[in-house]
Amino acid sequence: MSCRRGALIVLEGVDRAGKTTQCQTLVQALQQSGRPAEIMRFPDRTTKIGQLINSYLEKKSNLEDHTVHLLFSANRWEMVPLMKQKLEQGITLVVDRYAFSGVAFTSAKPGFSLEWCMKPDVGLPKPDLVMFLQLNPSMAANRGEFGIERYETSDFQRTVSQRFEELMQDSSINWKVIDAARTIEEVHKDIKLLSEDILSLAENQPVGELWK
Ligand code: 2DT
């Protein structure tokens, strides 16, 4: 490799665990220590596919469940060339939700197996590190009311949580569980340390393929 590649770092977790804040804080911290880093988020609502997803999430349209699952996956695949390019340029990507959210949310619907849900995302760039921000449902409820988007109900979120637990049994993924019930600063400290460690490991190996 001519230049050291960036790392692919994913933050996952149930709603209101603080993923977005932690992604932003991590990117700032990495940049301040001289390491190029950028944030990405899924769904990326800016593309044509993303706009279909956005309208579905805002309940402005209805989509059949398998169809919307495939759209979420397509929304990741359409970003793969850009992701690979940035990683090769040495930019670390800090990603707010990825295929794990895709599988956890769809498989929380009746009639969807984890296996079926994973298939369309097989072969995506494999994250070097996936940090799961853990927060129990009652703590999450203390952080305020749910929004009005689709999926934002306690019952659904509880099932999503169980699906994430099942996904975390997969030892082919470098999962780290982070206790998100602490202050933003405490959580950030753990996330930063884990990320710095993975940066030096990742630069010496090629990007892997997810679930392959
Ligand atoms: P945000 O609130 O983070 O924008 O998420 N979701 C997300 C899925 O159902 N499938 C996916 O593949 C992804 C990435 C989780 C919007 C909602 O979309 C759900 C919450």
Side-chain angles (χ1 to χ4, degrees), residues 12 15 19-20 41-45 53 56-57 68-69 71-73 75-76 96-106 109 121 149-152 156-157:
E12 286 282 7
D15 282 19
K19 287 182 299 298
T20 305
R41 69 174 307 148
F42 292 110
D44 178 335
R45 304 188 193 213
I53 293 171
Y56 171 80
L57 288 171
V68 76
H69 182 73
L71 286 177
F72 273 111
S73 176
N75 184 235
R76 284 182 279 281
D96 188 348
R97 294 193 193 276
Y98 200 49
F100 313 99
S101 274
V103 175
F105 277 75
T106 301
K109 298 177 177 179
D121 285 315
E149 284 206 334
R150 213 180 278 269
Y151 303 145
E152 294 184 332
F156 193 76
Q157 294 285 326

Side-chain angles (χ1 to χ4, degrees), residues 137-190:
S138 59
M139 283 287 291
N142 283 341
R143 294 190 172 181
E145 290 300 305
F146 273 114
I148 51 159
E149 284 206 334
R150 213 180 278 269
Y151 303 145
E152 294 184 332
T153 66
S154 309
D155 277 354
F156 193 76
Q157 294 285 326
R158 210 163 289 129
T159 314
V160 169
S161 236
Q162 287 163 7
R163 295 293 171 263
F164 272 124
E165 293 292 334
E166 289 173 48
L167 284 172
M168 281 191 272
Q169 304 303 312
D170 173 5
S171 57
S172 77
I173 303 294
N174 182 18
W175 286 102
K176 299 283 180 209
V177 179
I178 310 276
D179 173 11
R182 298 170 296 159
T183 64
I184 292 178
E185 292 74 25
E186 284 169 330
V187 175
H188 168 65
K189 224 170 125 194
D190 283 4

Side-chain angles (χ1 to χ4, degrees), residues 66 106-107 109-113:
H66 300 78
T106 301
S107 68
K109 298 177 177 179
F112 284 88
S113 67

Side-chain angles (χ1 to χ4, degrees), residues 27-44:
V27 165
Q28 279 165 12
L30 291 173
Q31 287 173 346
Q32 275 161 16
S33 60
R35 282 167 288 208
E38 289 181 18
I39 199 163
M40 287 189 92
R41 69 174 307 148
F42 292 110
D44 178 335

Side-chain angles (χ1 to χ4, degrees), residues 40-111:
M40 287 189 92
R41 69 174 307 148
F42 292 110
D44 178 335
R45 304 188 193 213
T46 64
T47 67
K48 282 191 182 135
I49 294 169
Q51 284 160 22
L52 293 174
I53 293 171
N54 182 53
S55 148
Y56 171 80
L57 288 171
E58 291 183 343
K59 299 180 189 163
K60 289 181 179 149
S61 65
N62 276 320
L63 288 166
E64 192 274 333
D65 288 330
H66 300 78
T67 310
V68 76
H69 182 73
L70 297 173
L71 286 177
F72 273 111
S73 176
N75 184 235
R76 284 182 279 281
W77 280 107
E78 66 179 332
M79 301 310 284
V80 168
L82 186 65
M83 291 171 76
K84 287 189 169 164
Q85 191 189 327
K86 291 199 185 273
L87 292 171
E88 276 160 25
Q89 286 168 350
I91 300 168
T92 286
L93 296 176
V94 175
V95 186
D96 188 348
R97 294 193 193 276
Y98 200 49
F100 313 99
S101 274
V103 175
F105 277 75
T106 301
S107 68
K109 298 177 177 179

